[in-house]
Amino acid sequence: MIKISSVSPLIFDVESTGFEHSIDYVQKFEREDIPILIQILDAPNKTFFMFLVDLYNGTSYQIHPQKYEINNHNTLYEFTINPSNNGTYQVRITNDQGEISVSLPFCVHSSSYTPFTMQIEYTNANNQQAFGAVFDISGNKRVFKTRVEGGFKSDSRQLAVESEQFRTQKQEPINLYSVPYEKRTLTIGDNEGVPFEMARLLNNIFCLSSVKIDGVSYTRSESSVPEQQVIAERYPQFNYTLTVECSENVSYNGFTEYPDGSGIVGEVSLNVSNAKDGQVLVFDGNEGSFVNQSHLDSL
């Protein structure tokens, strides 16, 4: 088995039951999604061969991997797919043991040929994940892009709130804090649906630290997973929905936080002079700091 990354933009080795309707799903890419990066993380001194096949004329050409030594036991083999012409292609990867992996067909066209699709751009803060991918190679960040049918419908927004309340002895509610936010339902697939493997890819992608849909950052909402809707009996493609939340500067309030959401930590100054027993610290505006004094007249 060839260990292709499970967050690869291309889908490989799609299973077929053999008794359902035969559907040829074609992945779609725009020119702005190119190049397509395919990674294999395996033992050193392995040999892999990739062939990009033009399904229009049957021609193919070989793509050689770049090799990066990760540690003594793992080497990254990275293939860069950058077709010079628009068209429909398929990738075949083999190794020196005769194993083979075949991608779904995919087309590369301008945006006018890929309506009602969304670009998914993703990366991770580090290499500590379970998907056989490397996102940081000696300081060089890897950002992947794929594309899928779907988007946000007009009824996809849901209002929510995170709050905490206190009740008095008379059971009167007192609001301690409330933070409103929105959830959105992402629809994956069109009237023809997408294969299960596409939903699995997106479920993996939303485990990473940075995911953008058409340039806007989103995060999986809590433990949401792609939920399947059957289109027809014995039809091997489906529609899926996934609940997400916008994560682009959502917590920035312009005062206590920076635009990236991190908190502003203030500095407190103390001016203690000839401290005596029983004195207290009181903030003095003229001094711009807390000072010690024996009385509380300033309060």
Side-chain angles (χ1 to χ4, degrees):
M1 178 180 179
I2 299 177
K3 300 176 182 179
I4 301 171
S5 164
S6 53
V7 288
S8 163
L10 285 182
I11 297 175
F12 287 82
D13 303 327
V14 173
E15 298 178 358
S16 174
T17 61
F19 62 87
E20 293 181 309
H21 296 288
S22 178
I23 301 295
D24 293 325
Y25 179 75
V26 178
Q27 285 189 260
K28 299 178 178 66
F29 291 87
E30 293 182 9
R31 271 290 156 192
E32 64 176 286
D33 308 325
I34 303 300
I36 302 170
L37 299 179
I38 305 298
Q39 293 184 338
I40 299 174
L41 193 61
D42 212 324
N45 301 320
K46 289 269 190 172
T47 302
F48 295 96
F49 308 92
M50 173 183 281
F51 294 92
L52 180 65
V53 182
D54 188 326
L55 297 180
Y56 282 160
N57 55 34
T59 60
S60 66
Y61 64 90
Q62 187 173 353
I63 300 175
H64 300 278
Q66 291 288 325
K67 298 181 182 180
Y68 303 93
E69 182 179 337
I70 304 303
N71 53 44
N72 293 335
H73 306 286
N74 293 280
T75 294
L76 174 67
Y77 303 84
E78 187 175 63
F79 296 89
T80 301
I81 301 173
N82 190 4
S84 56
N85 298 316
N86 293 345
T88 303
Y89 301 89
Q90 191 170 44
V91 165
R92 291 187 173 94
I93 301 177
T94 61
N95 60 15
D96 48 7
Q97 297 176 336
E99 297 173 314
I100 182 171
S101 286
V102 181
S103 77
L104 285 174
F106 66 95
C107 65
V108 179
H109 286 290
S110 62
S111 59
S112 60
Y113 287 87
T114 56
F116 312 116
T117 63
M118 51 186 171
Q119 182 195 70
I120 311 294
E121 180 182 305
Y122 53 99
T123 186
N124 202 54
N126 52 51
N127 295 328
Q128 298 177 2
Q129 34 70 41
F131 301 117
V134 178
F135 295 92
D136 192 319
I137 304 174
S138 301
N140 294 319
K141 201 70 175 176
R142 292 296 189 270
V143 178
F144 299 85
K145 295 178 182 178
T146 191
R147 186 169 290 273
V148 64
E149 297 83 356
F152 294 104
K153 295 181 179 179
S154 58
D155 61 352
S156 67
R157 295 185 176 184
Q158 309 164 43
L159 297 176
V161 65
E162 181 69 25
S163 64
E164 183 174 340
Q165 293 182 333
F166 167 78
R167 287 188 178 271
T168 66
Q169 291 181 338
K170 293 183 178 181
Q171 295 303 305
E172 297 170 332
I174 298 175
N175 202 42
L176 299 180
Y177 76 87
S178 292
V179 180
Y181 62 99
E182 291 185 14
K183 299 180 180 181
R184 302 196 70 177
T185 300
L186 177 66
T187 298
I188 304 161
D190 54 12
N191 59 343
E192 295 183 356
V194 297
F196 167 80
E197 288 80 3
M198 177 59 78
R200 180 170 60 192
L201 171 61
L202 292 177
N203 192 44
N204 292 345
I205 287 174
F206 273 94
C207 292
L208 304 176
S209 64
S210 175
V211 182
K212 292 184 179 181
I213 301 175
D214 290 333
V216 179
S217 295
Y218 287 90
T219 300
R220 181 201 308 268
S221 180
E222 299 177 354
S223 298
S224 174
V225 296
E227 297 183 7
Q228 186 181 94
Q229 287 89 47
V230 175
I231 295 177
E233 186 68 24
R234 295 179 62 189
Y235 183 78
Q237 295 187 175
F238 312 91
N239 286 327
Y240 293 87
T241 56
L242 174 68
T243 304
V244 298
E245 297 177 38
C246 182
S247 55
E248 194 163 87
N249 294 344
V250 292
S251 64
Y252 177 56
N253 61 22
F255 179 66
T256 60
E257 296 171 283
Y258 289 113
D260 64 359
S262 60
I264 296 175
V265 180
E267 295 182 356
V268 177
S269 175
L270 300 178
N271 185 3
V272 179
S273 177
N274 299 321
K276 299 178 182 179
D277 289 342
Q279 288 188 323
V280 296
L281 288 173
V282 177
F283 184 78
D284 188 331
N286 294 326
E287 295 286 341
S289 65
F290 285 89
V291 298
N292 60 304
Q293 63 183 45
S294 302
H295 51 85
L296 300 178
D297 293 345
S298 61
L299 298 178

